[in-house]
Amino acid sequence: MTTDIRNARFYVLEHDDPSTAPTDAIPVSFEEAIKEAEKLTASGRAVHVLYTEEATQTQLTRFAEAGIRTSLVPQG
């Protein structure tokens, strides 16, 4: 079975906002996530993006190049 990268979902979390839990985050596409994360980072906020296993290395590299921390969504 092949993985469809269109199924990749990203969750943009702000570290400075303790009221935002990963369970409260809305899953978005890569383009939405990178735009939001870059906007928040540019305004000086600490950002962490969670991603599903369908994410590609290229997508993760774009976050890294922008200085945005990423982690695989915890399973379970």
Side-chain angles (χ1 to χ4, degrees), residues 9-56:
R9 290 292 170 250
F10 300 85
Y11 302 82
V12 180
L13 307 174
E14 289 185 62
H15 282 282
D16 295 338
D17 185 357
S19 67
T20 304
T23 55
D24 297 334
I26 298 170
V28 295
S29 69
F30 170 74
E31 289 302 324
E32 291 172 293
I34 192 80
K35 286 179 189 174
E36 182 67 16
E38 287 177 334
K39 181 177 82 173
L40 292 169
T41 300
S43 68
R45 295 185 174 151
V47 177
H48 183 192
V49 175
L50 300 178
Y51 61 89
T52 59
E53 61 188 22
E54 297 86 4
T56 66

